């Protein structure tokens, strides 16, 4: 495999939603690399959500029935709904590709805060828990390196016995740790990057111990020190070091990895560059040649 497969569709990035529209800039930045190929996911089968989220909530989100339809904090529209479904399809397609070839990316955001009965924190439906739900014979490990703890995935981990989640965050967002869930708060500017490295080493031990089949990596850009929501305080270089470390974990343990871009709230062009750095780290660790 000579190119890193990145699942993305223009429908991911409706212009009416700034939180989603920024993904178009990230796609442009990533597509400049000769080491990646952008692939559009197939149409999403909403039936894949059966038994994961509450049926009433899924119906409300499909049909635009308020207040549930906009419970994630992004005003519902058909385009926002279609973007969400497209990203979920990309997540499942990328998971299948990663399991077969070792690594894939879904250029998506908006998963880890969604809980069973509603959306939350700009996350409508939990595409991380969906992977565990749709691959019940695989042990799925979410390594969540967003600024905000993955509270929604933590709740799903308590229900799905093949889902594990390890959050390293600056802002807790209700994430406390629990059954198949670990929560580590880190402030790099106060504790040094060594604290982040220590958390990643601990996550690696958990991955090895639990005999994981697939890692889902949330490569959040909102823990950057200049992000208005960022408290973890990583520099651009430290974010790149974080990405390299995560991909090394997957490579060294020989566990497939699927990654997405998660949060980011500063200048969209800056976020796009940070997302492109994550792709660059993956290409470096997995030695993509870039031949087309």
């Amino acid at each position: 495999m000579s190119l890193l497969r990145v699942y993305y569709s223009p429908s991911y990035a409706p212009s009416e939603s700034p939180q989603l529209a920024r993904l178009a800039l990230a796609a442009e930045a990533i597509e400049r690399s000769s080491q990646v190929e952008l692939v559009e996911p197939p149409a999403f089968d909403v039936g894949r959500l059966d038994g994961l989220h509450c049926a009433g909530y899924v119906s409300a989100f499909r049909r635009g029935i308020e207040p549930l339809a906009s419970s994630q904090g992004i005003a519902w529209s058909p385009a926002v709904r279609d973007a969400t479904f497209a990203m979920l399809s990309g997540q499942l397609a990328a998971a299948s590709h990663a399991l077969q070839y070792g690594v894939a990316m879904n250029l998506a955001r908006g998963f880890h805060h969604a809980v069973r009965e509603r959306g939350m924190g700009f996350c409508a439906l939990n595409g991380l828990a969906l992977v565990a739900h749709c691959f019940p014979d695989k042990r799925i490990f979410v390594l969540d390196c967003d600024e905000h703890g993955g509270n929604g995935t933590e709740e799903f981990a308590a229900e799905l016995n093949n889902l594990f989640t390890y959050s390293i965050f600056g802002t807790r967002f209700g994430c406390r740790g629990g059954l198949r869930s670990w929560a580590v708060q880190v402030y790099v500017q106060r504790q040094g990057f060594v604290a982040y490295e220590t958390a990643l080493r601990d996550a690696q031990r958990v991955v090895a111990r639990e005999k994981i089949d697939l890692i889902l990596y949330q490569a959040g850009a909102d823990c950057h020190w200049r992000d208005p929501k960022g408290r973890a305080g990583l520099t651009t270089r430290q974010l790149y070091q974080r990405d390299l470390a995560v991909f090394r974990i997957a490579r060294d343990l020989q566990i497939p990895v699927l990654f997405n871009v998660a949060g980011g709230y500063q200048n969209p062009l800056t976020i796009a560059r940070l997302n492109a750095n994550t792709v660059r780290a993956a290409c470096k660790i997995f030695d993509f040649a870039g031949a087309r």
Side-chain angles (χ1 to χ4, degrees):
M1 186 175 58
S2 60
L3 298 175
L4 171 65
R5 180 166 292 190
V6 177
Y7 285 87
Y8 174 75
S9 165
S11 64
Y12 283 23
S15 59
E16 64 204 64
S17 168
Q19 294 92 343
L20 300 177
R22 69 170 178 82
L23 294 174
L25 294 175
E28 291 175 12
I30 289 167
E31 197 169 24
R32 295 188 193 108
S33 170
S34 63
Q35 297 169 298
V36 307
E37 60 172 346
L38 265 62
V39 175
E40 190 156 341
F44 182 60
D45 175 6
V46 180
R48 305 300 294 273
L49 293 167
D50 290 351
L52 182 68
H53 285 280
C54 292
Y57 172 52
V58 173
S59 177
F61 186 73
R62 288 184 69 183
R63 299 163 61 192
I65 299 172
E66 301 293 3
L68 280 177
S70 300
S71 58
Q72 63 171 313
I74 296 175
W76 187 92
S77 71
V80 168
R81 175 198 60 203
D82 294 347
T84 301
F85 288 160
M87 285 188 279
L88 292 176
S89 179
Q91 190 76 351
L92 294 179
S96 293
H97 187 84
L99 284 166
Q100 184 173 0
Y101 295 104
V103 59
M105 179 186 188
N106 186 24
L107 184 49
R109 55 150 297 148
F111 293 150
H112 70 158
H113 295 313
V115 296
R116 191 171 186 273
E117 67 276 7
R118 63 187 292 271
M120 186 185 303
F122 305 140
C123 302
L125 297 162
N126 198 307
L128 305 168
L130 180 65
V131 174
H133 179 65
C134 291
F135 293 84
D137 60 331
K138 301 297 183 184
R139 292 167 73 83
I140 308 299
F141 185 91
V142 178
L143 182 47
D144 194 330
C145 293
D146 193 77
E147 165 61 30
H148 304 89
N151 64 300
T153 313
E154 181 171 275
E155 288 193 22
F156 278 110
E159 301 175 8
L160 300 171
N161 62 15
N162 66 324
L163 179 61
F164 304 76
T165 182
Y166 193 111
S167 287
I168 307 171
F169 52 81
T171 303
R172 189 169 294 279
F173 210 93
C175 191
R176 298 287 176 183
L179 184 61
R180 290 182 291 275
S181 177
W182 295 261
V184 181
Q185 193 165 36
V186 176
Y187 300 119
V188 170
Q189 290 184 320
R190 184 190 313 162
Q191 300 168 290
F193 189 62
V194 65
Y196 212 101
E197 293 174 312
T198 298
L200 288 173
R201 284 195 297 272
D202 184 58
Q204 180 173 2
R205 286 190 288 270
V206 175
V207 170
R209 184 183 72 226
E210 298 295 343
K211 297 179 170 54
I212 296 302
D213 295 303
L214 176 65
I215 295 170
L216 307 182
Y217 172 38
Q218 288 264 102
D222 48 355
C223 43
H224 189 261
W225 72 282
R226 285 186 172 172
D227 194 287
K229 295 184 182 292
R231 297 174 62 198
L234 281 75
T235 66
T236 301
R237 177 179 174 80
Q238 288 167 342
L239 283 174
Y240 183 65
Q241 291 175 312
R242 174 203 69 179
D243 295 336
L244 289 172
V246 171
F247 293 129
R248 284 194 192 101
I249 290 171
R251 182 198 63 189
D252 293 350
L253 294 178
Q254 297 185 309
I255 297 174
V257 59
L258 155 60
F259 63 104
N260 57 60
V261 297
Y265 302 94
Q266 57 179 312
N267 183 288
L269 287 172
T270 300
I271 300 169
R273 287 192 290 269
L274 296 175
N275 296 157
N277 278 346
T278 300
V279 172
R280 183 162 62 94
C283 290
K284 178 180 176 64
I285 295 301
F286 292 103
D287 197 24
F288 285 98
R292 291 188 183 273

